[in-house]
Amino acid sequence: MSAYDAIVVGLGGMGSAATYHLARRGQKVLGLDRFGQPHVHGSSHGRSRIIRRAYFEGPSYVPIVVRAYELWRELERRSGSPLVTITGGLLIGRADSDRVEAARMSAETHGVDHQVLDAEDATRRFPQLRIVPDELALYEAQAGVLVPELCVAAHLQLADRNGAVLRTGEPVSGWRPHPEGLVVTTASGSYHARNVVLTAGPWIPQLTGGRLPMTVERQYVAWLRPRGDRHLFSGGRLPVFIIDREDDVALYGLPDLHGDGVKVAFHHGGETGDPDALSREVHDDELQRLAGAARDRVPALGDVADAQVCLYTNTHDRHFAIGPHPDVDGLIVAGGFSGHGFKFASAVGEILADLVVDGETGFDLDHFRPGRLIDAPR
């Protein structure tokens, strides 16, 4: 049985980053994934992801995402891959929107550069968007886009360069206690490590025997071709945007960075179930609903160019779960990123390496304790 300092289970956004940071710090690390990487079965694909700092989900996230920005730029330099494009970002909602107010509070608490525009100002600056008269738009100049597949590939490339052992196509079936850590069992054998880092996304509930309850939610995204002047919808002209629709789920969009259209999606509201049973096809009625909502706010969007399914892994409160498993010594969990986690992956990987190597991290993780999920409402 091969022995390691740490085993990382799941090599998507969080796991690839954790494997890199552990290997860089001299740990003998094994990374395992049930699929090849990058893949389209979980939560770390989709060609583009929003990164932002005026965080309506709560001020406690801002220090972590600030560090994530630094680490993404460092990863770009080390890997030579272009990972981040700054486009600016808009959060649009009514003046009494809880999201807009929470984002403003986060920005003011942490000194994030931002502007609050009324509907007239926002429409003048961004005529591609339809903003109704009673709405405000919080503009963050340093928001932008990550390319998730390239981010995962860069972390794994550098993990390999720093000596990590990477095994893909090798699903984990379980683990058992060992006098000096844990033994992880896969279809190909067993491995021992002092610490196991569980970053398996939608499969975390299965791998923890339901002890850490999370809900897996199917989401679909689409790319719509703009009509007219395509340059108006490029990364230099159209910012990423999130629209708080008070009577429905939020709608978000990202500019046309690669010539395949403007990416649009709903944030939450999808079907829930077993990640291995949820449909990976986007159906015509879903595309009609999404395209209609998108054209209502971006009138020049036309035909659907492509569509994909991705999965959210939600906690009951939509906040992350990062830290030691409450019942299993040596098991560290990072999951439940609830559809807003990828931007943090570079920093979460560093945090997980801190927990393995030092037993602690400089970030306050009390809000993210995995143990809080045990007594959560199901």
Side-chain angles (χ1 to χ4, degrees):
M1 183 169 56
S2 299
Y4 296 88
D5 296 320
I7 297 171
V8 179
V9 179
L11 296 176
M14 307 301 167
S16 63
T19 304
Y20 162 61
H21 282 285
L22 285 163
R24 188 180 172 195
R25 292 171 69 168
Q27 296 287 291
K28 183 181 179 184
V29 57
L30 169 66
L32 297 168
D33 200 288
R34 63 186 292 162
F35 303 106
Q37 279 293 352
H39 64 76
V40 298
H41 305 289
S43 309
S44 297
H45 59 286
R47 306 179 203 167
S48 57
R49 293 297 177 87
I50 294 174
I51 185 166
R52 54 192 168 88
R53 288 183 289 191
Y55 220 67
F56 60 77
E57 291 84 350
S60 60
Y61 287 93
V62 179
I64 305 177
V65 79
V66 168
R67 178 58 176 156
Y69 267 90
E70 296 170 349
L71 289 170
W72 288 126
R73 290 303 193 189
E74 178 183 292
L75 185 64
E76 282 187 318
R77 292 191 296 271
R78 291 179 179 273
S79 69
S81 295
L83 306 177
V84 186
T85 301
I86 299 301
T87 63
L90 287 173
L91 173 61
I92 300 166
R94 290 170 54 98
D96 58 356
S97 161
D98 290 341
R99 279 193 173 104
V100 173
E101 183 54 35
R104 180 171 13 200
M105 182 179 70
S106 285
E108 292 174 350
T109 299
H110 292 283
V112 175
D113 184 28
H114 69 287
Q115 299 172 274
V116 178
L117 310 174
D118 62 24
E120 183 178 352
D121 287 341
T123 300
R124 184 165 50 249
R125 289 183 61 175
F126 307 107
Q128 309 93 320
L129 298 168
R130 188 181 73 85
I131 302 171
V132 300
D134 62 347
E135 288 180 329
L136 299 175
L138 186 147
Y139 178 69
E140 179 186 347
Q142 292 303 306
V145 179
L146 295 164
V147 183
E149 293 87 349
L150 292 182
C151 292
V152 171
H155 272 135
L156 292 178
Q157 176 191 57
L158 293 180
D160 177 71
R161 190 180 300 170
N162 281 272
V165 177
L166 305 175
R167 296 183 182 274
T168 58
E170 188 168 342
V172 169
S173 54
W175 52 76
R176 64 180 187 272
H178 184 277
E180 297 181 358
L182 295 166
V183 173
V184 174
T185 303
T186 75
S188 301
S190 297
Y191 311 96
H192 164 252
R194 290 196 302 270
N195 290 278
V196 171
V197 178
L198 181 57
T199 49
W203 293 274
I204 288 177
Q206 295 177 6
L207 291 171
T208 57
R211 183 64 171 155
L212 298 180
M214 302 176 190
T215 301
V216 179
E217 181 182 358
R218 173 183 172 274
Q219 295 293 338
Y220 51 92
V221 303
W223 287 262
L224 274 60
R225 298 184 183 93
R227 297 188 294 262
D229 185 357
R230 299 178 67 92
H231 295 293
L232 288 174
F233 300 89
S234 67
R237 301 292 295 277
L238 178 68
V240 299
F241 61 88
I242 302 171
I243 301 174
D244 184 12
R245 305 184 303 159
E246 60 177 11
D247 297 327
D248 207 337
V249 293
L251 174 76
Y252 69 88
L254 300 94
D256 184 356
L257 296 178
H258 311 295
D260 47 6
V262 173
K263 180 180 175 181
V264 293
F266 297 122
H267 185 47
H268 290 298
E271 174 190 6
T272 61
D274 183 329
D276 295 315
L278 290 168
S279 172
R280 301 309 176 98
E281 295 184 11
V282 185
H283 308 296
D284 288 343
D285 60 327
E286 295 172 329
L287 286 177
Q288 289 175 10
R289 177 180 173 234
L290 177 56
R295 292 176 191 131
D296 179 59
R297 288 309 195 114
V298 192
L301 293 183
D303 296 338
V304 174
D306 198 7
Q308 263 186 2
V309 167
C310 70
L311 301 180
Y312 286 6
T313 308
N314 302 322
T315 61
H316 69 287
D317 56 11
R318 303 277 173 86
H319 293 301
F320 303 164
I322 306 173
H325 191 289
D327 302 331
V328 183
D329 289 342
L331 180 60
I332 298 169
V333 177
F337 291 98
S338 303
H340 63 108
F342 190 89
K343 64 183 72 66
F344 295 88
S346 58
V348 170
E350 184 179 61
I351 288 169
L352 294 170
D354 290 342
L355 295 176
V356 169
V357 177
D358 304 323
E360 61 182 5
T361 181
F363 292 99
D364 181 4
L365 299 182
D366 186 65
H367 197 56
F368 305 129
R369 291 179 300 106
R372 79 186 192 283
L373 305 182
I374 292 176
D375 298 321
R378 301 279 176 136

